[in-house]
Amino acid sequence: MTLSVRISHPFPAFRLDVDLEAPEGVTAIFGPSGAGKTTIINAVAGLFLPHSGCITSRGATFFDSDRRINLPTQKRQVGYVFQDHRLFPHLDVKANLNFGRRARKIGENRADFDRIVSMLGLEQLLGRSPFALSGGEKQRVAIGRALLSAPEVLLLDEPLASLDQMRRQEILPYLERLRDEARLPILYVSHSVSEVARLSNQVLVIDQGQQSVLGPVGDVFAHPHAAGRMGAEDLGAVLFAKVHAHHSDGVTELASAGGRLFLPKTNADIGAFQRVRIRAQDVMLSRQKPEQISALNVLSGTIVDISKDPDQSGKGVLVRVRCGDDLLLSRITLRSLNALDLRVGEPIYAVLKTVSVARGDVGQG
């Protein structure tokens, strides 16, 4: 099941041009405010009419300017979750969940209802009023309501933007389950680097209406062209690894393509896949394999790219390192680059302290 979005539209400040294929899983649309992110999903939902293009899902045409097709919103099988939950205050959680199904005249399916309630952890909330729910609980109900309307595509417009950090961490595991179990194309609009890194399968970086980078999350986060959109502190790469062991000294050991990774202890089961966001500023480089150092993580790789650091005004560089199937990014100074005489194609060791990886940067693979 794939969603295809090819649209173009002139605005006073910029021109929106998008060519996107979104398969099952989460495609994050990432960029600064005013870049055109919400406009894209509004076009999919039928809430915005592009000047030209074509939008199709599962063989159904939502919009085609050449054929003068523009399916009304209510006839597009799309679920939409907004920044604010928009629950009905006079209905309890169960009635809110069932509203979308009834509005589309979909027959009751108890198995689907129970599956979605379980996936989103709503079992204990069904009889509650929206007034008795936390912000994270309200958003989980809104997502459940959208799923119970049997959509072919799910659109999430910055669903965590109104939540504090604690509530965001509360809901993220449920969004990971949604990504892995819903079997739907999900467009996830966000300007949060940590959310995109943890949840997305592929990422579209958009700026002033133009596609900057599009690809798998691991490739995009290590792409030099995406660096300027992420900011100095958030810039980094996403690695995928399998939990190998939990050690008694509070460290979890993962097996990655570039070698063993040691992180602060996680709750993941042995054998589970994890994704780890590693900030470029936390990665040191060494020509020789370092020994007798406190940093536990030493990954072997090959330099594939050296580019200017957009946040260093020409005083630093970004070094992209391939470790097996993964890409890693390191921010170093020009002095370090020259001292090590680093060149593309040469072997290198990437060094990372275990405590540099925060719990919020580790999620389900």
Side-chain angles (χ1 to χ4, degrees), residues 268-318:
D269 295 332
I270 302 297
F273 283 94
Q274 300 276 273
R275 59 172 67 192
V276 183
R277 182 164 70 105
I278 297 177
R279 291 174 173 82
Q281 64 187 15
D282 295 328
V283 179
M284 296 184 292
L285 299 178
S286 175
R287 276 191 166 280
Q288 298 180 346
K289 187 173 183 178
E291 298 180 354
Q292 295 183 332
I293 59 172
S294 61
L296 298 178
N297 298 306
V298 179
L299 305 179
S300 62
T302 302
I303 298 173
V304 296
D305 184 79
I306 301 173
S307 59
K308 291 182 179 180
D309 185 345
D311 289 323
Q312 293 289 329
S313 302
K315 299 177 182 178
V317 295
L318 297 175

Tab-separated table of all heavy atoms in Angstrom, residues 268-318:
chain	number	residue	atom	x	y	z
A	268	ALA	N	14.598	-2.903	26.710
A	268	ALA	CA	14.312	-3.740	25.548
A	268	ALA	C	14.738	-5.180	25.794
A	268	ALA	O	15.707	-5.454	26.515
A	268	ALA	CB	15.033	-3.187	24.327
A	269	ASP	N	14.017	-6.106	25.190
A	269	ASP	CA	14.330	-7.530	25.322
A	269	ASP	C	15.587	-7.886	24.538
A	269	ASP	O	15.926	-7.223	23.540
A	269	ASP	CB	13.167	-8.385	24.804
A	269	ASP	CG	11.907	-8.226	25.643
A	269	ASP	OD1	12.038	-7.920	26.837
A	269	ASP	OD2	10.804	-8.408	25.090
A	270	ILE	N	16.265	-8.945	24.968
A	270	ILE	CA	17.411	-9.459	24.218
A	270	ILE	C	16.930	-9.861	22.830
A	270	ILE	O	15.922	-10.529	22.654
A	270	ILE	CB	18.038	-10.673	24.932
A	270	ILE	CG1	18.484	-10.297	26.342
A	270	ILE	CG2	19.223	-11.209	24.120
A	270	ILE	CD1	19.556	-9.254	26.403
A	271	GLY	N	17.662	-9.437	21.809
A	271	GLY	CA	17.290	-9.749	20.433
A	271	GLY	C	16.428	-8.686	19.773
A	271	GLY	O	16.221	-8.726	18.555
A	272	ALA	N	15.913	-7.747	20.554
A	272	ALA	CA	15.071	-6.681	19.987
A	272	ALA	C	15.928	-5.690	19.208
A	272	ALA	O	17.077	-5.422	19.562
A	272	ALA	CB	14.311	-5.963	21.089
A	273	PHE	N	15.351	-5.154	18.147
A	273	PHE	CA	16.055	-4.140	17.365
A	273	PHE	C	15.789	-2.761	17.958
A	273	PHE	O	14.681	-2.444	18.376
A	273	PHE	CB	15.609	-4.185	15.904
A	273	PHE	CG	16.214	-5.321	15.127
A	273	PHE	CD1	15.540	-6.524	14.990
A	273	PHE	CD2	17.471	-5.191	14.559
A	273	PHE	CE1	16.096	-7.582	14.291
A	273	PHE	CE2	18.049	-6.240	13.858
A	273	PHE	CZ	17.363	-7.442	13.719
A	274	GLN	N	16.833	-1.954	17.988
A	274	GLN	CA	16.748	-0.606	18.521
A	274	GLN	C	17.323	0.368	17.492
A	274	GLN	O	18.170	-0.001	16.677
A	274	GLN	CB	17.555	-0.480	19.815
A	274	GLN	CG	17.106	-1.412	20.932
A	274	GLN	CD	15.947	-0.840	21.721
A	274	GLN	OE1	16.122	-0.098	22.672
A	274	GLN	NE2	14.735	-1.207	21.318
A	275	ARG	N	16.840	1.614	17.554
A	275	ARG	CA	17.457	2.676	16.768
A	275	ARG	C	18.047	3.680	17.752
A	275	ARG	O	17.433	3.992	18.777
A	275	ARG	CB	16.469	3.326	15.808
A	275	ARG	CG	15.251	3.957	16.458
A	275	ARG	CD	14.430	4.733	15.448
A	275	ARG	NE	13.818	3.886	14.450
A	275	ARG	CZ	13.254	4.348	13.333
A	275	ARG	NH1	13.256	5.649	13.086
A	275	ARG	NH2	12.690	3.538	12.478
A	276	VAL	N	19.228	4.161	17.445
A	276	VAL	CA	19.974	5.032	18.360
A	276	VAL	C	20.385	6.296	17.614
A	276	VAL	O	21.032	6.222	16.565
A	276	VAL	CB	21.227	4.320	18.901
A	276	VAL	CG1	21.936	5.208	19.909
A	276	VAL	CG2	20.875	2.973	19.507
A	277	ARG	N	20.000	7.445	18.161
A	277	ARG	CA	20.432	8.714	17.572
A	277	ARG	C	21.721	9.157	18.239
A	277	ARG	O	21.801	9.279	19.462
A	277	ARG	CB	19.363	9.787	17.743
A	277	ARG	CG	19.749	11.125	17.104
A	277	ARG	CD	18.546	12.036	16.955
A	277	ARG	NE	18.069	12.527	18.236
A	277	ARG	CZ	18.259	13.775	18.682
A	277	ARG	NH1	18.936	14.641	17.959
A	277	ARG	NH2	17.756	14.160	19.824
A	278	ILE	N	22.747	9.377	17.432
A	278	ILE	CA	24.062	9.769	17.932
A	278	ILE	C	24.400	11.140	17.367
A	278	ILE	O	24.505	11.319	16.147
A	278	ILE	CB	25.134	8.744	17.534
A	278	ILE	CG1	24.815	7.379	18.174
A	278	ILE	CG2	26.519	9.220	17.955
A	278	ILE	CD1	25.771	6.289	17.794
A	279	ARG	N	24.574	12.110	18.235
A	279	ARG	CA	24.849	13.479	17.801
A	279	ARG	C	26.264	13.609	17.252
A	279	ARG	O	27.219	13.054	17.801
A	279	ARG	CB	24.648	14.442	18.969
A	279	ARG	CG	23.197	14.587	19.404
A	279	ARG	CD	23.095	15.435	20.660
A	279	ARG	NE	21.710	15.720	21.005
A	279	ARG	CZ	20.914	14.880	21.663
A	279	ARG	NH1	21.363	13.701	22.036
A	279	ARG	NH2	19.670	15.230	21.942
A	280	ALA	N	26.380	14.387	16.182
A	280	ALA	CA	27.674	14.552	15.520
A	280	ALA	C	28.714	15.159	16.439
A	280	ALA	O	29.906	14.850	16.359
A	280	ALA	CB	27.502	15.419	14.271
A	281	GLN	N	28.278	16.056	17.347
A	281	GLN	CA	29.227	16.719	18.238
A	281	GLN	C	29.794	15.770	19.294
A	281	GLN	O	30.785	16.101	19.960
A	281	GLN	CB	28.560	17.900	18.923
A	281	GLN	CG	27.408	17.517	19.840
A	281	GLN	CD	26.667	18.727	20.368
A	281	GLN	OE1	26.825	19.827	19.851
A	281	GLN	NE2	25.865	18.530	21.394
A	282	ASP	N	29.178	14.576	19.458
A	282	ASP	CA	29.650	13.608	20.456
A	282	ASP	C	30.575	12.544	19.873
A	282	ASP	O	31.038	11.662	20.602
A	282	ASP	CB	28.448	12.910	21.116
A	282	ASP	CG	27.595	13.861	21.930
A	282	ASP	OD1	28.165	14.817	22.491
A	282	ASP	OD2	26.369	13.669	22.001
A	283	VAL	N	30.841	12.606	18.577
A	283	VAL	CA	31.647	11.578	17.907
A	283	VAL	C	33.055	12.087	17.649
A	283	VAL	O	33.253	13.092	16.949
A	283	VAL	CB	30.992	11.140	16.579
A	283	VAL	CG1	31.860	10.099	15.879
A	283	VAL	CG2	29.599	10.578	16.836
A	284	MET	N	34.043	11.408	18.225
A	284	MET	CA	35.458	11.704	17.957
A	284	MET	C	35.972	10.727	16.908
A	284	MET	O	35.431	9.628	16.748
A	284	MET	CB	36.277	11.565	19.234
A	284	MET	CG	35.906	12.553	20.316
A	284	MET	SD	36.993	12.412	21.769
A	284	MET	CE	36.508	10.792	22.378
A	285	LEU	N	37.028	11.125	16.199
A	285	LEU	CA	37.616	10.292	15.155
A	285	LEU	C	39.070	9.984	15.480
A	285	LEU	O	39.789	10.813	16.031
A	285	LEU	CB	37.524	10.985	13.794
A	285	LEU	CG	36.115	11.299	13.280
A	285	LEU	CD1	36.191	12.030	11.948
A	285	LEU	CD2	35.278	10.036	13.152
A	286	SER	N	39.495	8.771	15.096
A	286	SER	CA	40.883	8.352	15.325
A	286	SER	C	41.353	7.505	14.149
A	286	SER	O	40.620	6.638	13.667
A	286	SER	CB	40.982	7.535	16.617
A	286	SER	OG	42.290	7.023	16.789
A	287	ARG	N	42.582	7.767	13.709
A	287	ARG	CA	43.134	6.977	12.613
A	287	ARG	C	43.493	5.559	13.077
A	287	ARG	O	43.455	4.616	12.297
A	287	ARG	CB	44.380	7.651	12.046
A	287	ARG	CG	44.068	8.724	11.017
A	287	ARG	CD	45.326	9.146	10.301
A	287	ARG	NE	45.056	9.914	9.104
A	287	ARG	CZ	44.710	9.410	7.940
A	287	ARG	NH1	44.557	8.095	7.821
A	287	ARG	NH2	44.506	10.179	6.882
A	288	GLN	N	43.867	5.441	14.344
A	288	GLN	CA	44.216	4.136	14.902
A	288	GLN	C	43.179	3.735	15.942
A	288	GLN	O	42.555	4.598	16.572
A	288	GLN	CB	45.601	4.183	15.538
A	288	GLN	CG	46.717	4.504	14.553
A	288	GLN	CD	48.069	4.550	15.236
A	288	GLN	OE1	48.162	4.606	16.455
A	288	GLN	NE2	49.128	4.530	14.443
A	289	LYS	N	42.981	2.469	16.132
A	289	LYS	CA	42.032	2.001	17.130
A	289	LYS	C	42.553	2.370	18.517
A	289	LYS	O	43.617	1.926	18.942
A	289	LYS	CB	41.841	0.492	17.032
A	289	LYS	CG	40.735	-0.019	17.946
A	289	LYS	CD	40.447	-1.493	17.724
A	289	LYS	CE	39.286	-1.950	18.597
A	289	LYS	NZ	38.946	-3.375	18.366
A	290	PRO	N	41.811	3.214	19.222
A	290	PRO	CA	42.300	3.670	20.533
A	290	PRO	C	42.210	2.564	21.582
A	290	PRO	O	41.322	1.711	21.536
A	290	PRO	CB	41.368	4.837	20.872
A	290	PRO	CG	40.143	4.611	20.066
A	290	PRO	CD	40.548	3.859	18.847
A	291	GLU	N	43.123	2.590	22.506
A	291	GLU	CA	43.154	1.604	23.591
A	291	GLU	C	43.290	2.327	24.928
A	291	GLU	O	43.792	3.449	25.002
A	291	GLU	CB	44.319	0.628	23.394
A	291	GLU	CG	44.216	-0.194	22.114
A	291	GLU	CD	45.392	-1.142	21.948
A	291	GLU	OE1	46.331	-1.055	22.787
A	291	GLU	OE2	45.391	-1.933	20.994
A	292	GLN	N	42.794	1.675	25.981
A	292	GLN	CA	42.889	2.192	27.340
A	292	GLN	C	42.305	3.605	27.445
A	292	GLN	O	42.945	4.529	27.957
A	292	GLN	CB	44.354	2.161	27.825
A	292	GLN	CG	44.908	0.749	27.943
A	292	GLN	CD	46.325	0.731	28.500
A	292	GLN	OE1	47.087	1.681	28.344
A	292	GLN	NE2	46.661	-0.349	29.176
A	293	ILE	N	41.096	3.750	26.938
A	293	ILE	CA	40.358	4.998	27.075
A	293	ILE	C	39.035	4.709	27.780
A	293	ILE	O	38.569	3.568	27.814
A	293	ILE	CB	40.086	5.670	25.706
A	293	ILE	CG1	39.279	4.725	24.802
A	293	ILE	CG2	41.387	6.073	25.034
A	293	ILE	CD1	38.825	5.393	23.524
A	294	SER	N	38.428	5.741	28.345
A	294	SER	CA	37.191	5.535	29.098
A	294	SER	C	35.980	5.328	28.186
A	294	SER	O	35.002	4.688	28.590
A	294	SER	CB	36.932	6.733	30.022
A	294	SER	OG	36.797	7.921	29.267
A	295	ALA	N	36.028	5.863	26.978
A	295	ALA	CA	34.911	5.694	26.047
A	295	ALA	C	34.790	4.224	25.645
A	295	ALA	O	35.769	3.617	25.201
A	295	ALA	CB	35.106	6.570	24.826
A	296	LEU	N	33.596	3.649	25.779
A	296	LEU	CA	33.405	2.231	25.508
A	296	LEU	C	33.125	1.923	24.044
A	296	LEU	O	33.310	0.793	23.599
A	296	LEU	CB	32.241	1.692	26.354
A	296	LEU	CG	32.401	1.768	27.878
A	296	LEU	CD1	31.154	1.233	28.558
A	296	LEU	CD2	33.635	0.992	28.323
A	297	ASN	N	32.651	2.920	23.305
A	297	ASN	CA	32.215	2.661	21.929
A	297	ASN	C	33.276	3.072	20.917
A	297	ASN	O	33.602	4.260	20.799
A	297	ASN	CB	30.913	3.412	21.646
A	297	ASN	CG	29.781	2.959	22.555
A	297	ASN	OD1	29.484	1.777	22.627
A	297	ASN	ND2	29.170	3.898	23.264
A	298	VAL	N	33.796	2.083	20.211
A	298	VAL	CA	34.764	2.330	19.152
A	298	VAL	C	34.281	1.563	17.918
A	298	VAL	O	34.311	0.338	17.885
A	298	VAL	CB	36.180	1.866	19.542
A	298	VAL	CG1	37.156	2.127	18.397
A	298	VAL	CG2	36.651	2.565	20.812
A	299	LEU	N	33.809	2.300	16.916
A	299	LEU	CA	33.249	1.688	15.707
A	299	LEU	C	34.209	1.891	14.540
A	299	LEU	O	34.714	2.992	14.321
A	299	LEU	CB	31.890	2.313	15.378
A	299	LEU	CG	30.829	2.276	16.481
A	299	LEU	CD1	29.551	2.957	16.005
A	299	LEU	CD2	30.534	0.844	16.896
A	300	SER	N	34.427	0.843	13.784
A	300	SER	CA	35.293	0.943	12.613
A	300	SER	C	34.469	1.278	11.382
A	300	SER	O	33.333	0.828	11.229
A	300	SER	CB	36.039	-0.375	12.392
A	300	SER	OG	35.116	-1.424	12.143
A	301	GLY	N	35.047	2.100	10.499
A	301	GLY	CA	34.317	2.480	9.298
A	301	GLY	C	35.234	3.073	8.254
A	301	GLY	O	36.458	3.021	8.361
A	302	THR	N	34.588	3.656	7.224
A	302	THR	CA	35.319	4.266	6.122
A	302	THR	C	34.751	5.661	5.869
A	302	THR	O	33.523	5.846	5.874
A	302	THR	CB	35.168	3.423	4.842
A	302	THR	OG1	35.637	2.092	5.096
A	302	THR	CG2	35.968	4.027	3.695
A	303	ILE	N	35.623	6.626	5.652
A	303	ILE	CA	35.176	7.988	5.367
A	303	ILE	C	34.563	8.035	3.968
A	303	ILE	O	35.207	7.648	2.988
A	303	ILE	CB	36.338	8.982	5.467
A	303	ILE	CG1	36.914	9.000	6.891
A	303	ILE	CG2	35.887	10.390	5.069
A	303	ILE	CD1	38.167	9.840	7.033
A	304	VAL	N	33.327	8.508	3.873
A	304	VAL	CA	32.658	8.579	2.573
A	304	VAL	C	32.420	10.012	2.119
A	304	VAL	O	32.126	10.253	0.941
A	304	VAL	CB	31.318	7.804	2.588
A	304	VAL	CG1	31.557	6.326	2.815
A	304	VAL	CG2	30.363	8.360	3.634
A	305	ASP	N	32.544	10.971	3.031
A	305	ASP	CA	32.283	12.354	2.632
A	305	ASP	C	32.849	13.304	3.679
A	305	ASP	O	32.792	13.029	4.877
A	305	ASP	CB	30.772	12.584	2.483
A	305	ASP	CG	30.436	13.975	1.972
A	305	ASP	OD1	30.560	14.186	0.758
A	305	ASP	OD2	30.069	14.838	2.786
A	306	ILE	N	33.388	14.409	3.218
A	306	ILE	CA	33.839	15.494	4.094
A	306	ILE	C	33.271	16.789	3.523
A	306	ILE	O	33.501	17.118	2.356
A	306	ILE	CB	35.374	15.582	4.169
A	306	ILE	CG1	35.962	14.266	4.700
A	306	ILE	CG2	35.799	16.751	5.047
A	306	ILE	CD1	37.489	14.214	4.650
A	307	SER	N	32.507	17.526	4.346
A	307	SER	CA	31.856	18.738	3.853
A	307	SER	C	31.927	19.833	4.911
A	307	SER	O	32.182	19.571	6.084
A	307	SER	CB	30.397	18.456	3.493
A	307	SER	OG	29.689	17.970	4.618
A	308	LYS	N	31.684	21.059	4.494
A	308	LYS	CA	31.687	22.185	5.420
A	308	LYS	C	30.541	22.060	6.406
A	308	LYS	O	29.439	21.636	6.062
A	308	LYS	CB	31.564	23.503	4.654
A	308	LYS	CG	32.792	23.859	3.829
A	308	LYS	CD	32.603	25.211	3.144
A	308	LYS	CE	33.845	25.577	2.338
A	308	LYS	NZ	33.686	26.891	1.648
A	309	ASP	N	30.797	22.433	7.636
A	309	ASP	CA	29.772	22.457	8.670
A	309	ASP	C	28.989	23.767	8.542
A	309	ASP	O	29.556	24.847	8.740
A	309	ASP	CB	30.428	22.356	10.055
A	309	ASP	CG	29.420	22.252	11.183
A	309	ASP	OD1	28.234	22.539	10.941
A	309	ASP	OD2	29.815	21.884	12.302
A	310	PRO	N	27.705	23.731	8.212
A	310	PRO	CA	26.951	24.975	7.995
A	310	PRO	C	26.805	25.833	9.245
A	310	PRO	O	26.519	27.020	9.144
A	310	PRO	CB	25.584	24.473	7.508
A	310	PRO	CG	25.481	23.071	8.021
A	310	PRO	CD	26.879	22.538	8.005
A	311	ASP	N	27.006	25.247	10.419
A	311	ASP	CA	26.849	26.008	11.657
A	311	ASP	C	28.167	26.515	12.213
A	311	ASP	O	28.209	27.094	13.297
A	311	ASP	CB	26.159	25.132	12.718
A	311	ASP	CG	24.698	24.895	12.389
A	311	ASP	OD1	24.054	25.821	11.877
A	311	ASP	OD2	24.205	23.782	12.628
A	312	GLN	N	29.262	26.304	11.493
A	312	GLN	CA	30.574	26.707	12.006
A	312	GLN	C	31.212	27.840	11.210
A	312	GLN	O	32.367	28.171	11.422
A	312	GLN	CB	31.525	25.486	11.998
A	312	GLN	CG	31.128	24.390	12.979
A	312	GLN	CD	31.370	24.788	14.409
A	312	GLN	OE1	32.283	25.542	14.695
A	312	GLN	NE2	30.556	24.281	15.322
A	313	SER	N	30.473	28.434	10.290
A	313	SER	CA	30.971	29.578	9.506
A	313	SER	C	32.321	29.292	8.867
A	313	SER	O	33.231	30.130	8.871
A	313	SER	CB	31.067	30.824	10.397
A	313	SER	OG	29.809	31.131	10.951
A	314	GLY	N	32.464	28.082	8.331
A	314	GLY	CA	33.685	27.724	7.645
A	314	GLY	C	34.812	27.273	8.543
A	314	GLY	O	35.906	26.984	8.065
A	315	LYS	N	34.580	27.213	9.853
A	315	LYS	CA	35.640	26.844	10.788
A	315	LYS	C	35.602	25.365	11.179
A	315	LYS	O	36.440	24.919	11.956
A	315	LYS	CB	35.531	27.694	12.049
A	315	LYS	CG	35.679	29.196	11.788
A	315	LYS	CD	35.489	29.995	13.060
A	315	LYS	CE	35.585	31.494	12.784
A	315	LYS	NZ	35.366	32.300	14.010
A	316	GLY	N	34.631	24.617	10.660
A	316	GLY	CA	34.532	23.209	10.999
A	316	GLY	C	34.059	22.398	9.808
A	316	GLY	O	33.690	22.941	8.757
A	317	VAL	N	34.069	21.078	9.969
A	317	VAL	CA	33.643	20.183	8.894
A	317	VAL	C	32.786	19.067	9.471
A	317	VAL	O	32.830	18.762	10.669
A	317	VAL	CB	34.848	19.566	8.142
A	317	VAL	CG1	35.649	20.624	7.420
A	317	VAL	CG2	35.723	18.770	9.101
A	318	LEU	N	32.016	18.467	8.584
A	318	LEU	CA	31.247	17.277	8.910
A	318	LEU	C	31.869	16.104	8.159
A	318	LEU	O	32.050	16.162	6.940
A	318	LEU	CB	29.785	17.440	8.496
A	318	LEU	CG	29.003	18.545	9.192
A	318	LEU	CD1	27.609	18.664	8.588
A	318	LEU	CD2	28.901	18.266	10.687
